[in-house]
């Protein structure tokens, strides 16, 4: 049957669908209610892999616990339907203020409800008998707070030395390729960081995109560096040097926008 993608109506799903490199069935909430077990089991019957984008974001007014509820529903239905591997989406937010580089086997120390909710979802998935892999996703260009939410007068935390926060990023096309590879790999770790290797300054991304921004003094709460260790991911997929540069990430984002 191929790959089934759930939650295709969200920001990430809309970004990825036109550029996904393989055949897939993209389903929104209007197509199937993830909490309707009978309907979900029917659409997942015989699927080679299931990509679950359905979830609650950190800006949602819905209960954060719904992340675990939705993920469990998908895993249960996949098991009943005898579907293949399920890919779930967690977040780098589970690491909190843990010093970088951030490895999957290192400590998770979330500081906000979203991070705690995603960690709870991870723990449920680890205990679930159906094959699954949970992605700890870094920032996705275009679905982020910088490129995706830019508007005139945009401000960015800046440190005294003039630098801006460094974050692990990934372009939409690169992410689509990575997810496709994760659906096809013979073996995949249960938990895996997903971002391009290294990190980029947020200010450098805005400059590469020719988007003006204003300095906002960093505070004691500003995290200077969030760099995901991608060694585990690099055993499954291949990256190119430009995937990790501000210019390359912006070019990837613009190509994805043009495809929409």
């Amino acid at each position: 049957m191929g790959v089934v993608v759930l939650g295709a109506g969200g920001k990430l799903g809309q970004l990825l669908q036109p550029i996904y490199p393989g055949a897939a069935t993209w389903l929104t909430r209007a197509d199937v209610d993830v909490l309707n077990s009978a309907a979900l089991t029917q659409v997942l019957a015989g699927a080679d892999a299931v990509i679950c984008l359905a979830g609650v974001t950190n800006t949602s007014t819905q209960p954060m616990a719904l992340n675990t509820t939705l993920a469990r529903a998908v895993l249960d239905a996949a098991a009943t339907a005898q579907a293949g591997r399920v890919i779930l989406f967690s977040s780098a937010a589970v690491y909190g203020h843990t010093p970088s580089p951030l490895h999957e086997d290192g400590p998770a120390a979330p500081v906000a409800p979203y991070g705690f909710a995603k960690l709870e979802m991870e723990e449920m998935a680890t205990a679930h008998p159906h094959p699954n892999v949970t992605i700890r996703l870094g920032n996705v260009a275009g679905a982020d707070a910088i490129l995706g939410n830019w508007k005139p007068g945009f401000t960015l935390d800046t440190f005294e030395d003039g630098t801006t926060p460094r974050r692990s990023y990934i372009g939409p096309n690169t992410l689509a390729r990575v997810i496709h590879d994760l659906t096809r790999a013979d073996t995949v770790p249960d938990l895996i960081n997903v971002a391009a290797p290294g990190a980029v300054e947020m200010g450098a991304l805005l400059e590469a995109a020719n988007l003006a921004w204003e300095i906002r003094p960093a505070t004691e709460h500003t995290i200077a560096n969030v760099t995901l260790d991608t060694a585990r991911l690099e055993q499954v997929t291949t990256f190119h040097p430009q995937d990790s540069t501000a210019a390359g990430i912006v070019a990837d984002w613009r190509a994805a926008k043009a495809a929409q």
Side-chain angles (χ1 to χ4, degrees), residues 151-257:
K151 57 185 177 181
F154 189 88
T155 60
L156 183 61
D157 286 0
T158 305
F159 300 103
E160 291 184 358
D161 64 359
T163 61
T164 57
R166 293 178 60 82
R167 297 289 183 267
S168 280
Y169 256 83
I170 191 167
N173 285 281
T174 307
L175 176 59
R177 186 183 75 239
V178 166
I179 295 171
H180 183 52
D181 289 345
L182 290 174
T183 66
R184 299 190 302 165
D186 292 334
T187 59
V188 179
D190 293 340
L191 185 63
I192 190 166
N193 289 333
V194 169
V200 295
E201 279 196 39
M202 291 180 164
L205 283 171
L206 291 173
E207 290 169 2
N210 292 318
L211 298 175
W213 56 281
E214 299 174 6
I215 291 174
R216 180 177 63 202
T219 71
E220 60 181 7
H221 301 295
T222 304
I223 302 176
N225 182 19
V226 179
T227 302
L228 300 178
D229 184 318
T230 57
R232 190 174 285 185
L233 177 61
E234 290 176 71
Q235 298 299 311
V236 180
T237 192
T238 301
F239 289 97
H240 308 290
Q242 64 268 26
D243 295 336
S244 299
T245 67
I249 291 166
V250 167
D252 188 326
W253 167 56
R254 284 178 170 157
K257 285 180 63 179

Side-chain angles (χ1 to χ4, degrees), residues 128-143:
H128 201 283
H130 189 77
N132 68 85
V133 54
T134 298
I135 288 173
R136 284 182 174 170
L137 187 61
N139 290 280
V140 181

